[in-house]
Amino acid sequence: GAMSNTVVLNPGGSRLNAVPNNEVRTFPCDGSTKISGSGGPEVPDPAPELGGRFGPGLNFETNKDGAIEVTSISLRNIATGDMIPVQKVKGHNLEGVAWRSVWISKDALQMTTAYRVEARGNVYPTKNMTGSATAWSKSYTFTTY
């Protein structure tokens, strides 16, 4: 979780990316606290159809020379067990950024609540997903304020 939390959906540029080949880093990272339960407002809006009601960006990054895919992801309220629907963020120049995948919940998250993210997918050594895939999985918790 070394990423800056200023603008969660700002790709930030590859100079901030120091993830080793075939590894995946997340933001929030495991045990993060004081995560805003609401992702908006953002300009441009990453999900106009949600009317500004969405949760924090769930970022998955691999090495900037590679590519990442998220094949399954779940977001769960730990206390209630409720699954929170999520969707992939498009736009924000993310289509051109093969090494990052960003997801948001389809509603704002509750305050002072612990959530668990479970995700898996593949990383590739090249941006165009040639070469052999390396499977990854992440399970982590974060708490909103």
Side-chain angles (χ1 to χ4, degrees), residues 5-135:
N5 192 20
T6 350
V7 181
V8 177
L9 294 174
N10 179 342
S14 52
R15 65 186 175 77
L16 299 176
N17 174 299
V19 182
N21 273 335
N22 294 330
E23 288 191 23
V24 174
R25 298 235 173 108
T26 67
F27 184 85
C29 34
D30 189 34
S32 290
T33 58
K34 298 188 172 57
I35 298 298
S36 173
S38 175
E42 293 263 351
V43 180
D45 190 329
E49 69 282 8
L50 298 181
R53 303 251 330 142
F54 54 90
L58 307 174
N59 291 264
F60 300 88
E61 291 189 0
T62 188
N63 181 273
K64 65 180 179 297
D65 293 323
I68 187 169
E69 63 181 357
V70 175
T71 54
S72 78
I73 181 171
S74 68
L75 175 64
R76 188 182 294 274
N77 178 317
I78 294 174
T80 65
D82 291 342
M83 294 285 289
I84 316 297
V86 296
Q87 69 185 43
K88 189 172 184 179
V89 174
K90 309 235 185 276
H92 278 64
N93 301 321
L94 284 166
E95 281 79 1
V97 184
W99 47 266
R100 170 178 280 176
S101 184
V102 181
W103 298 70
I104 51 175
S105 60
K106 294 185 179 185
D107 200 350
L109 300 181
Q110 295 175 19
M111 297 168 63
T112 59
T113 301
Y115 291 90
R116 174 172 296 283
V117 176
E118 292 182 351
R120 61 179 34 125
N122 296 295
V123 289
Y124 298 84
T126 61
K127 286 182 170 59
N128 55 6
M129 296 189 172
T130 56
S132 55
T134 301

